[in-house]
């Protein structure tokens, strides 16, 4: 069964500094990996995904994530944090080999706090 | 991406009562996923609803507590029955992605508080 781990409940960073939000995964085959963001009182918004190809994928607002197969990781990064990025971030995985319906498994979430 | 409308956006309910949450999608989808997000926690899949057949429930969730309807390919409802304060959560619907590598999209969620 697939699983996702986000080891940090919260990440604090000063505005303008680089940030990393960690994610590791476990699937039986090859994964599809996703990052979602949730702002207060809002639904889940898609941020970026890894399907295949280039290990570095780019999303909105300067966010990017690097797929590392050997470390089974998909860490979210931003070279310069904006205050508006303060939110709850979820990593999710879907097993590429799963021939059943396309269930997403989510990590526990990491709260990002960007301070002025 | 599909436009997903979820109603109600929030509600405060008395324990022992039931609430039905509606999810409308602007295009036909094969399956609809229903998730629960308990306070301060991640999303957990409750069940998968396919039109014309009974929903498939994940471990820990049962049909009597969370009955689901799927009358057509654009609409689904989730009922939270005989509510207790432990059911206070955000409930989200998500249509099945077109392709397995396609990102999933979610309704805005229903924030339920049971008092």
């Amino acid at each position: 069964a697939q699983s996702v781990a986000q080891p940090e409940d919260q990440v604090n960073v000063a505005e303008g500094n680089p940030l990393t939000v960690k994610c590791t995964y476990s699937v039986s085959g090859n994964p599809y990996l996703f990052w979602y963001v949730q702002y207060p009182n809002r639904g889940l918004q898609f941020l970026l995904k890894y399907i295949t190809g280039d290990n570095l994928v780019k999303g909105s607002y300067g966010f990017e994530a690097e797929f590392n197969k050997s470390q089974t990781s998909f860490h979210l990064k931003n070279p310069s944090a904006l205050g508006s990025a303060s939110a709850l971030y979820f990593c999710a995985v879907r097993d590429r080999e799963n021939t059943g319906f396309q269930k997403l498994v989510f990590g526990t979430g990491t709260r990002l706090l960007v301070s002025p | 991406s599909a436009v997903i409308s979820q109603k109600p956006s929030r509600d405060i309910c008395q324990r022992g009562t039931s609430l039905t949450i509606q999810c409308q999608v602007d295009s036909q989808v094969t399956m609809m996923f229903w998730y629960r997000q308990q306070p301060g926690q991640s999303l957990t899949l409750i069940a998968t609803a396919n039109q014309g057949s009974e929903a498939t429930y994940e471990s820990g969730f049962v049909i009597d507590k969370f009955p689901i309807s799927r009358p057509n390919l654009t609409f689904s409802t989730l009922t939270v029955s005989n509510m207790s304060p432990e059911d206070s959560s955000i409930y989200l619907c998500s249509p099945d992605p077109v392709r397995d590598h396609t990102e999933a999209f979610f309704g805005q969620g229903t924030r339920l508080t049971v008092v």
Side-chain angles (χ1 to χ4, degrees), chain B residues 3 24 27 38 40 58 61-62 70 74 88 92 94 96 100 109:
Chain B
V3 176
Q24 178 78 53
S27 57
Q38 293 178 298
E58 296 296 300
F61 297 96
V62 294
R70 189 81 204 280
T74 64
S88 297
L92 300 105
S94 176
D96 186 22
D100 57 4

Side-chain angles (χ1 to χ4, degrees), chain A residues 5-11 20-23 89 108-111:
Chain A
Q6 291 181 245
E8 304 150 317
D9 290 336
Q10 184 165 305
V11 169
T20 299
V21 181
K22 295 179 181 177
C23 170
Y89 289 81
T108 50
T110 300
R111 186 165 301 280

Side-chain angles (χ1 to χ4, degrees), chain B residues 72-110:
Chain B
N72 57 57
L73 293 175
T74 64
F75 187 77
S76 179
T77 67
L78 169 77
T79 299
V80 186
S81 303
N82 188 24
M83 288 184 285
S84 66
E86 291 72 34
D87 294 320
S88 297
S89 297
I90 299 174
Y91 293 86
L92 300 105
C93 63
S94 176
D96 186 22
V98 174
R99 297 283 186 267
D100 57 4
H101 59 271
T102 307
E103 56 272 25
F105 291 93
F106 294 82
Q108 286 296 92
T110 296

Side-chain angles (χ1 to χ4, degrees), chain A residues 32 34 36 38 40-44 46 49 51 88 90 94 96 98 100-109, chain B residues 10 31 33 35 37 41-43 45 48 56 58 90 92 96-97 99-108 111:
Chain A
Y32 295 123
F34 305 85
Y36 287 85
Q38 187 177 39
N41 300 313
R42 303 275 294 274
L44 234 59
F46 168 73
K49 66 181 177 184
I51 303 302
L88 191 55
F90 290 99
R94 183 181 293 140
R96 188 195 299 251
N98 185 358
F101 53 79
Q102 304 308 322
K103 174 176 145 179
L104 265 180
V105 174
F106 286 85
T108 50
Chain B
R10 58 178 63 228
M31 285 182 284
F33 298 113
Y35 290 87
Q37 185 181 17
Q41 299 197 28
S42 185
L43 278 75
L45 183 65
T48 304
T56 302
E58 296 296 300
I90 299 174
L92 300 105
D96 186 22
R99 297 283 186 267
D100 57 4
H101 59 271
T102 307
E103 56 272 25
F105 291 93
F106 294 82
Q108 286 296 92
R111 184 178 293 273

Side-chain angles (χ1 to χ4, degrees), chain A residues 43-58:
Chain A
L44 234 59
Q45 297 176 30
F46 168 73
L47 197 55
L48 51 75
K49 66 181 177 184
Y50 170 78
I51 303 302
T52 187
D54 195 347
N55 289 344
L56 185 65
V57 293
K58 295 184 183 293

